[in-house]
Structures are given as structure tokens and as C-alpha cells.
Amino acid sequence: TAEAPKSALPDYANWKDESAVIVHSANTLETRRGAIGSGVVTPSKHLYVRNNLPAPGAEIVADRDAWEVRIEGVNNPATLTLAELKEIGIESVTAVLQCSGNGRQFFTHGPGGTQWGTGAAGCVVWTGVPLRDVVAQLGGVKEGMEYITGTGGEALPAGLDPKTIMVERSIPTRALDQAILAWELNDEALPLTHGGPLRLVIPGYYGVNNVKYVKQVAFTESQTDAKIQASGYRIRDVGVKGAPDQPSMWEMPVKSWVTAPLEKTRQGHSRIHGVAFGGNNPLDKVEVSVDGGKTWLDAQLLGPDMGRFAWRPFALSVDLAPGEYRIVSRATDAQGNIQPQNRTENERGYGNTSWSDHGVTLTVS
Ligand code: MSS
């Protein structure tokens, strides 16, 4: 059977800018490395997409205000509509959204899954109600609850054990202060593609924890036994099977990469650009090396500081004589954590923050 042309956007994401994305599959679109731009906010039409299950139909965004979310594990559990949530409070947060598997293509043991380069990440503005305000309205979190468990609103195929397929993630309650129930992305109604009408957003946490079309938020004593939590999205040695005692993909660590120039440039004056973020911590600084990490120079942080969870574009001006250069960047967060030279090898190819993997080889002529 003939394969669909690689560039064809799937229907539910046909509003994306085709020139800015790499279509890996109908469920996975990556932002091109050069399409990040030099602003802080990634335009929605450039933002990557990752779905574990086919996206629901557009009928779920036909009457957004009628969308219902069940809140459990609080003293007064309730079902709230989006219209009711909008009455409780509103807050905007600019945050990096990044897939756990971003940078998987640099692993050499051949982990399965989407071969993301740098572009399973973007920095976007979420608007919604702080989850803590919703909880306060419902009498507070019940005693002894240690996790926030969000359930995705996809219709599940019949005949399968739902636990093996459903998108349900548990996040430690320490994230309650930063969690929001969002209905807007970049100042527009949250597109279905990115989880509209309502999404659980946990700034500072890996993409998988940001449950789209969220239909239930439960405070729970233990983590869900859904496969995506119990054995999926965990850091484990190569060749080892998933198990609940392995570290889960929760808080994101500090990371950066160069976005321009990417392959070749003219001799003389050149400006190296990239993006850097502290993940769950504020960003402190970024250094750039044009000799593969032997010597480093401080880069300039650009754009407004949009807060702890946002990324900062950075730039460094250099004069380059003809030749070949290995350009790398290395970010440090406010706690002094430095982006490591080497990735942590792991079976699924998650959490790659290696500065050497994310460098670019530049030919100057
Ligand atoms: N949600 C739901 N509901 N479903 C699915 O599938 N996925 C994940 C998140 N959430 C899902 C959800 C993932 S995995 C990710 S990244 C994210 O989402 C993405 O997002 P966007 O918007 O970009 O598409 Mo990895 O860690």
C-alpha cells in the first residue's frame, strides 16, 4: 500500500504551518529546529503535537462552556462545567511544553517511538483557573492524598482493558501550586489539537503530565495503575521493562539548544541563536561554545522574562573565519544545576538534556 506523503498534515491539525513542522505520523508533528523564531512565545501554528491516542472529534469543542470536569479527592467532590470554572478565577502562565521523548533521535541504542530531534517543545501562554482555587472552592484536598490524577477525555476503543490504553497521569501534589485548568492557548480558545476545550497544565513538568480534554481531576492516595503511568514514561536501564518504582517523567530539568545558524554561514560576523529554560526551576544563564565545549562564552538572554516556567531566547555574536565549527550551548538554572555534557542512557530515550547531543556542526565559508 502506498504511504501518504510525509508532509501531509492530519485533519485535526490542518491549521498548522506546513513549512514549520515535520510530520512524523498522524499523531506526532515536530517543530522544525529553524522554525522556533527569536520571540519568546512559539506561535500555535508552529507548536509540536503528540497524541498517544487518536484525537477526539471536533464535536467536543462545539459547545466549550458545556464541557464537564469531575473533581474528586476533595472534601466536596463536584462536577463543574467550563462556564462554572471561568467564574472561579483566571490566571495566565507562560511555560515550556516539552515531550518526554524530545531529543530521542540522538540515542544510539535505537529506542522505539517518535524520533524527535529538538522540536517536541515550545513555549506557550496558557490561560485558565488555578487548580488550587478550584480546590479551595470545594473544601480543600482530602487528607492523605498524595497525587493529582488527571484523566484524558478520549473515547476508548471497545473490547480493550481501558487501563492499558487510557491517558491518565498522576503528578505529586507538590505541583498543586502551579497547576492550572486551561481553556486558552496563546490568547485563543484552546484548539482541540492541544487539548481543548479544557486541559490540565502542569508548568515545569514534562508534556505527558499535561492531560488534554481533561474529564476528571482526582486527588488520590496512590498513582493510577493506567499503563501510561505504571510502566510507561519511566527512566530505566536499556533492556529493562517498565515498573512503578522507576523514576516517572515529572519535573523537567534545565536545557538549551542552538536554533540558528544550522548548517552553513558566511565568514565574518555571525549571531548564534537558541532557546534555554530551567524547567521546573528559574533559568540563570546560558553559555555558548564554538569549539565543541572546550571554551565557553556567556550568551545574552533576549526577550522579556516571562517567568520561571518560560524559556528565554539567547544570542551570542561571534566572528568566524572559514572552517568547521561545533556550536553548543549549556544552560544553568537558579539552583546551580548545569545541563550535562552527556545524556543519561535509558531504554525509552527520555529526558535527553545533553549539550553535546544538541550541538550543531557549522561550515563557515
Ligand atoms: N493528553 C491526552 N488526553 N492524550 C494524549 O495522548 N499526550 C501527552 C500530553 N497529553 C496526551 C495528552 C503527551 S506524551 C505530550 S508530549 C503532550 O500531551 C503533547 O501536547 P501537544 O499539545 O503538543 O500535542 Mo510526551 O511526554
Side-chain angles (χ1 to χ4, degrees):
T1 54
E3 241 192 322
K6 271 270 181 228
S7 64
L9 293 169
D11 281 350
Y12 73 93
N14 61 10
W15 54 277
K16 293 279 170 181
D17 177 344
E18 216 165 335
S19 67
V21 297
I22 303 161
V23 181
H24 288 286
S25 75
N27 287 334
T28 46
L29 314 187
E30 174 169 0
T31 311
R32 289 185 188 279
R33 191 165 188 162
I36 284 299
S38 53
V40 176
V41 174
T42 308
S44 301
K45 61 185 199 310
H46 291 194
L47 184 63
Y48 84 101
V49 178
R50 196 283 189 253
N51 284 325
N52 293 67
L53 295 173
E59 66 278 357
I60 71 164
V61 288
D63 182 1
R64 291 167 175 272
D65 279 350
W67 180 262
E68 292 182 339
V69 61
R70 178 76 190 159
I71 314 287
E72 284 284 351
V74 288
N75 287 310
N76 307 308
T79 301
L80 299 170
T81 62
L82 178 43
E84 288 167 326
L85 287 175
K86 287 176 176 169
E87 297 294 312
I88 299 177
I90 190 163
E91 187 173 279
S92 289
V93 58
T94 307
V96 172
L97 179 70
Q98 180 185 217
C99 182
S100 309
N102 197 27
R104 178 179 286 134
Q105 85 175 206
F106 305 117
F107 286 82
T108 52
H109 68 283
T114 305
Q115 298 302 300
W116 305 110
T118 57
C123 181
V124 294
V125 185
W126 302 104
T127 300
V129 61
L131 183 59
R132 60 179 187 276
D133 291 356
V134 177
V135 164
Q137 181 122 339
L138 301 179
V141 176
K142 256 171 74 182
E143 226 187 274
M145 300 302 159
E146 297 201 7
Y147 299 94
I148 306 169
T149 298
T151 310
E154 288 107 337
L156 302 175
L160 281 173
D161 174 2
K163 292 285 177 192
T164 64
I165 179 154
M166 71 195 298
V167 175
E168 187 169 83
R169 287 285 300 174
S170 299
I171 301 114
T173 48
R174 61 177 177 263
L176 177 55
D177 259 359
Q178 64 212 61
I180 75 168
L181 285 168
W183 54 79
E184 274 182 23
L185 172 70
N186 293 343
D187 301 323
E188 282 171 351
L190 179 56
L192 174 71
T193 325
H194 295 291
L198 188 69
R199 183 169 190 172
L200 176 62
V201 172
I202 318 284
Y205 280 59
Y206 278 107
V208 66
N209 304 295
N210 297 259
V211 177
K212 305 191 206 188
Y213 357 93
V214 66
K215 67 170 190 197
Q216 176 169 286
V217 176
F219 292 85
T220 54
E221 274 172 75
S222 45
Q223 295 176 36
T224 168
D225 56 1
K227 189 169 170 246
I228 194 170
Q229 177 80 27
S231 59
Y233 292 84
R234 291 185 183 270
I235 296 280
R236 52 186 187 265
D237 288 346
V238 175
V240 169
K241 280 202 168 26
D245 62 340
Q246 300 153 351
S248 195
M249 297 308 288
W250 285 332
E251 289 96 344
M252 291 189 288
V254 62
K255 187 171 178 180
S256 72
W257 59 88
V258 169
T259 56
L262 289 179
E263 278 162 35
K264 43 191 167 195
T265 192
R266 292 272 174 199
Q267 62 173 297
H269 185 74
S270 151
R271 247 166 96 83
I272 296 165
H273 283 267
V275 289
F277 54 99
N280 195 46
N281 290 325
L283 177 71
D284 179 32
K285 64 165 182 177
V286 191
E287 300 157 288
V288 168
S289 170
V290 299
D291 56 14
K294 288 192 199 76
T295 57
W296 297 90
L297 290 164
D298 279 337
Q300 186 193 347
L301 297 179
L302 307 176
D305 179 353
M306 299 296 286
R308 166 178 164 200
F309 303 114
W311 70 26
R312 293 292 292 274
F314 67 82
L316 178 74
S317 291
V318 283
D319 277 310
L320 298 175
E324 228 186 51
Y325 296 83
R326 182 71 181 164
I327 317 281
V328 290
S329 67
R330 177 175 80 175
T332 303
D333 74 13
Q335 323 273 281
N337 299 301
I338 309 180
Q339 207 181 324
Q341 176 166 5
N342 299 315
R343 60 182 181 263
T344 302
E345 299 295 348
N346 68 92
E347 171 68 13
R348 299 292 298 121
Y350 289 139
N352 191 350
T353 60
S354 150
W355 59 252
S356 60
D357 280 358
H358 290 82
V360 300
T361 301
L362 184 67
T363 306
V364 179
S365 55

